Amino acid sequence: MGVLPVPAEVRAILLDIEGTTTPIAFVQETLFPYIKDNVKEYLRTHWEEEECQRDVGLLRKQAQEDSSLDGAVPIPLESGSGEEGLERVIQAVVDNVHWQMSLDRKTTALKQLQGHMWRAAYATGHVKGEIFEDVVPAIRKWREAGMKVYIYSSGSIEAQKLLFGYSTEGDILELFDGHFDTKIGPKVESESYRRIAASIGCATNNILFLTDVPREANAAEEADTHVAVVIRPGNAGLTDDEKSYYSLISSFTELFLPSST
């Protein structure tokens, strides 16, 4: 690794979150366990609220689409007004959420509920978003050099904004020009990066995508987007072929931007 020159045509830097700006351990050991441990209580507390009902409706629709999958958990409609019937539906939602999370599903329905639960956790101070210490200083330099900076994560846009809005570095949302999630497309499909470029208003080769996942890097590269794979503590190891093929960085400070003058 060392210094990685950024191609002169790059005008925007697109960042993954988990394993790139944020330790995987924070996501795996703080955010996800919070959902598993608190989803039942959250549903009981917020069940009558419109937002919660929309979340459950999306999960129920996803469960119908998943009905042919091994181990899929259906979510029945509420029948009657009995406490026992309500508890049965809530337990089905809990079981469905746990099942999806056990498979590391990236469905919009799951991410939406998680985002709303994390909002409550961040707002009450139960959770603060962890950021690698090189991230904020590097992004400030990129912006001073005229770069646009965007986030692309499988976590919902709301979850992204919560992580950066209630972070260990304070509220750093001002550092980002926009956010993308799986509504624009899966991160392992090249078409997603074309849609992002169109949304930003530039060509795909005007973008540098930083991620810790080679499959995502490959999809971006297929769309003619520049990529670099980020090596961080706790990230999955790379094969020898991946190490030799991709540009690698272990810190955002290793990116060398062309002069903006």
Side-chain angles (χ1 to χ4, degrees), residues 30-49:
T30 299
L31 286 186
F32 286 162
Y34 180 86
I35 299 296
K36 289 178 180 176
D37 295 344
N38 292 280
V39 62
K40 181 179 282 189
E41 185 58 34
Y42 177 88
L43 290 167
R44 283 172 172 164
T45 302
H46 298 277
W47 188 259
E48 299 297 331
E49 297 172 16

Side-chain angles (χ1 to χ4, degrees), residues 89-220:
V89 177
I90 287 177
Q91 187 59 52
V93 177
V94 172
D95 292 344
N96 179 278
V97 167
H98 285 184
W99 172 73
Q100 288 202 61
M101 292 182 70
S102 73
L103 299 176
D104 195 27
R105 300 288 300 282
K106 309 290 188 185
T107 64
T108 298
L110 175 64
K111 295 300 178 184
Q112 181 167 299
L113 174 68
Q114 288 173 331
H116 292 152
M117 288 186 63
W118 287 324
R119 179 181 62 198
Y122 283 113
T124 55
H126 284 96
V127 173
K128 276 190 180 295
E130 290 185 32
I131 311 291
F132 287 114
E133 63 181 15
D134 58 278
V135 170
V136 171
I139 294 177
R140 291 196 193 282
K141 282 188 175 181
W142 299 343
R143 291 180 64 87
E144 287 168 9
M147 285 287 174
K148 300 284 191 180
V149 182
Y150 298 88
I151 295 293
Y152 181 28
S153 173
S154 55
S156 70
I157 288 174
E158 181 169 20
Q160 298 171 29
K161 290 182 175 180
L162 289 167
L163 192 156
F164 294 116
Y166 295 90
S167 85
T168 50
E169 302 288 330
D171 182 349
I172 58 171
L173 283 171
E174 65 178 14
L175 297 180
F176 306 108
D177 294 282
H179 299 257
F180 299 95
D181 60 15
T182 51
K183 287 181 180 176
I184 200 120
K187 295 172 74 181
V188 295
E189 291 184 5
S190 58
E191 186 59 31
S192 303
Y193 300 89
R194 297 186 185 98
R195 292 191 191 111
I196 288 173
S199 175
I200 292 171
C202 67
T204 51
N205 71 347
N206 296 141
I207 298 172
L208 170 64
F209 178 48
L210 304 183
T211 178
D212 63 310
V213 181
R215 283 184 68 209
E216 295 174 3
N218 182 61

